[in-house]
Amino acid sequence: MNVADLIRTRVQIYAISEQMTAHEAARYFRERQVRAAGVLDSAGKLVGVLSQSDISDKVAAENKSAEIRVAEIMTRELVTVSPELALDECLRRMEKHGIFHLLVVDSQGVYRGMISVTDLLEIIASDQKARADMLESFLYPQR
């Protein structure tokens, strides 16, 4: 399974403008029940990523105004993956970089969404359950 398989059925791509305030971004996250989003410039190009922890660490913990622009607090060093990348490699990249989200960018450089460690863990758990069920049916066939 690859990234494209995971994001294929998603209806919405979560993205915010670099011109939004931290307050607006926090409301965006709360209303959509997400923890992070890609940050786009005025031309729609991916230029950063913002997470709830960025807002907590860079605004609240430093007692900065909630009116600070996303562009001032977003992470600019992006870890991106292509839709063709295998999911096990995504998990390795998250572990290597100590992050919980990966930005998906296609071959034309277009932002296609984000995958989270939760997405990957749900797939791993589902796969393991399917394997266990198959083994159980082999060991204990219906009589």
Side-chain angles (χ1 to χ4, degrees):
M1 184 173 221
N2 64 18
V3 172
D5 296 327
L6 178 60
I7 66 171
R8 181 172 289 121
T9 59
R10 295 198 177 159
V11 178
Q12 184 164 359
I13 295 173
Y14 298 104
I16 59 176
S17 165
E18 66 181 343
Q19 293 305 312
M20 286 177 90
T21 65
H23 175 78
E24 292 168 330
R27 283 194 1 222
Y28 179 94
F29 291 160
R30 184 185 64 203
E31 290 167 1
R32 288 158 183 82
Q33 298 181 354
V34 296
R35 294 177 183 249
V39 180
L40 307 179
D41 65 12
S42 59
K45 181 179 181 242
L46 181 67
V47 292
V49 63
L50 187 74
S51 67
Q52 286 179 327
S53 59
D54 288 326
I55 295 171
S56 174
D57 295 348
K58 298 173 184 174
V59 179
E62 294 181 14
N63 199 27
K64 291 183 180 173
S65 168
E67 297 306 309
I68 192 170
R69 298 282 173 210
V70 166
E72 296 179 55
I73 59 171
M74 68 185 183
T75 299
R76 294 177 185 275
E77 300 80 33
L78 304 179
V79 179
T80 63
V81 296
S82 74
E84 295 77 29
L85 192 67
L87 295 182
D88 59 336
E89 178 58 28
C90 291
L91 198 53
R92 280 192 282 281
R93 287 191 189 181
M94 286 179 177
E95 181 181 22
K96 176 183 176 185
H97 295 283
I99 57 177
F100 299 101
H101 300 88
L102 289 171
L103 301 154
V104 182
V105 178
D106 68 18
S107 59
Q108 287 79 41
V110 177
Y111 175 56
R112 296 294 178 195
M114 183 180 292
I115 61 171
S116 70
V117 70
T118 303
D119 294 328
L120 298 177
L121 293 176
E122 286 173 355
I123 289 171
I124 291 167
S126 174
D127 185 48
Q128 293 298 325
K129 176 160 180 8
R131 289 179 190 196
D133 290 347
M134 184 174 63
L135 181 59
E136 182 180 39
S137 68
F138 177 72
L139 293 173
Y140 304 105
Q142 296 293 331
R143 296 174 197 209

